[in-house]
Amino acid sequence: MLVRKTLTVTAVAAFLVGGAFFSTGTASAATTLAGTCSGSVNGSMGDTVAVAGASVKELVRKGARDYVNSHFWTFASVWPDSLADTIASKGALAVGQVPNAAGGTIEGSAVGSAVATALKGANGLGVLDNTKNEVLSAISSTVAKNCGLTTIATNYVAPGAGGNPQARTDTAPGGAAGNLSNLNPGTAGGTGGSAPMRDYSGIPTATAGTAVAPGVRYPANGTLPGDVSAPQAGQGDQSGQSGQGADIRDAGNAQSLASNSASDDVQLPMLLAVIVLAGVTAGLVRTWVLRRAA
């Protein structure tokens, strides 16, 4: 009885451990391999992004060779060709991850750091530890300057997308909800409502053929000069003006001066002028005659 119970417990434990192992394997993220160390790469959110060691082979060779050229005494211990072959044999190098967003970037420095990590302890880095670190730094810098990836998440869904668009609420300026009570209802096809036409009948305007000064086009009392509906001279206004203010007058209010005499009477100034003109004329004629006689 005790043996059977022990076997049962062991079987249950083995089942749980096996289930946990398989569930962990299925939940692990996949690895997306980029063809080159620059450009863009597509993958699912959470995927690991890796570059092939062969894609950075020539960059490793160039970085190591530039170091040797600037430190000529290391030509015997630093081997650029060997380091290039070593990185090509490393296979895929993990450099980053596809973020939980539409896209992201993997900087060139991340690629250079992954390459330097893969080359640690490789043959051809030099003899001294200081030289090895400098060679790895030179290679990492060269790779970083020439690499960099843009990640694109193929399974990203924008918020509100997927056939469930978010409802839009019209608001007035300032964030407060606008008054939509005067909108006409929309049609059944979903074309939306429309606002009623505005009424401009209360705005005074000038009729055709009436010239109005810019300053009095929209007077405060709502009437315009020459408006037949406004009171005219002698109609409800003893001042003779057409119901307007003291600073606004109608044109054509000129009046003649009063005269008590008849229009055909000869006035005294006129008579004196005629007499003086006659005397002057007579004097001129007499002078002319005397000069001719002499």
Side-chain angles (χ1 to χ4, degrees):
M1 185 67 180
L2 181 59
V3 174
R4 182 181 296 178
K5 186 176 181 180
T6 303
L7 292 175
T8 302
V9 173
T10 304
V12 172
F15 175 77
L16 294 177
V17 172
F21 174 77
F22 285 115
S23 62
T24 302
T26 56
S28 61
T31 299
T32 300
L33 182 64
T36 62
C37 70
S38 61
S40 61
V41 57
N42 299 334
S44 300
M45 292 185 295
D47 284 358
T48 300
V49 178
V51 296
S55 64
V56 294
K57 176 179 178 179
E58 295 305 321
L59 294 176
V60 171
R61 192 195 311 274
K62 182 179 184 303
R65 186 169 294 168
D66 290 344
Y67 179 83
V68 172
N69 292 337
S70 60
H71 302 77
F72 63 91
W73 60 88
T74 62
F75 74 93
S77 60
V78 177
W79 308 329
D81 295 338
S82 176
L83 294 174
D85 293 338
T86 300
I87 197 65
S89 65
K90 293 293 184 179
L93 306 175
V95 295
Q97 191 177 36
V98 179
N100 293 327
T105 57
I106 297 176
E107 301 294 338
S109 58
V111 182
S113 178
V115 171
T117 301
L119 287 175
K120 282 185 177 180
N123 295 327
L125 289 175
V127 178
L128 302 177
D129 291 339
N130 186 34
T131 302
K132 294 179 181 180
N133 293 332
E134 290 178 354
V135 172
L136 290 176
S137 178
I139 293 174
S140 177
S141 178
T142 302
V143 172
K145 292 177 182 179
N146 294 274
C147 295
L149 293 169
T150 299
T151 59
I152 300 174
T154 56
N155 60 342
Y156 174 77
V157 179
N164 185 23
Q166 295 180 349
R168 180 178 180 271
T169 304
D170 290 328
T171 58
N179 183 10
L180 307 179
S181 60
N182 61 342
L183 290 179
N184 298 327
T187 61
T191 57
S194 61
M197 296 182 63
R198 297 186 180 276
D199 185 12
Y200 299 100
S201 60
I203 300 178
T205 59
T207 58
T210 302
V212 183
V216 295
R217 287 180 181 175
Y218 302 98
N221 57 4
T223 61
L224 295 171
D227 190 353
V228 296
S229 62
Q232 301 299 323
Q235 299 179 4
D237 189 356
Q238 300 300 326
S239 63
Q241 299 300 321
S242 57
Q244 302 177 17
D247 56 340
I248 302 176
R249 300 178 180 273
D250 290 340
N253 288 338
Q255 299 180 2
S256 61
L257 297 176
S259 176
N260 295 327
S261 58
S263 60
D264 55 349
D265 291 345
V266 179
Q267 301 298 323
L268 179 60
M270 180 65 71
L271 182 59
L272 294 177
V274 172
I275 294 173
V276 172
L277 181 61
V280 172
T281 303
L284 291 175
V285 171
R286 180 176 177 276
T287 301
W288 179 72
V289 171
L290 291 176
R291 286 182 179 180
R292 290 295 300 271

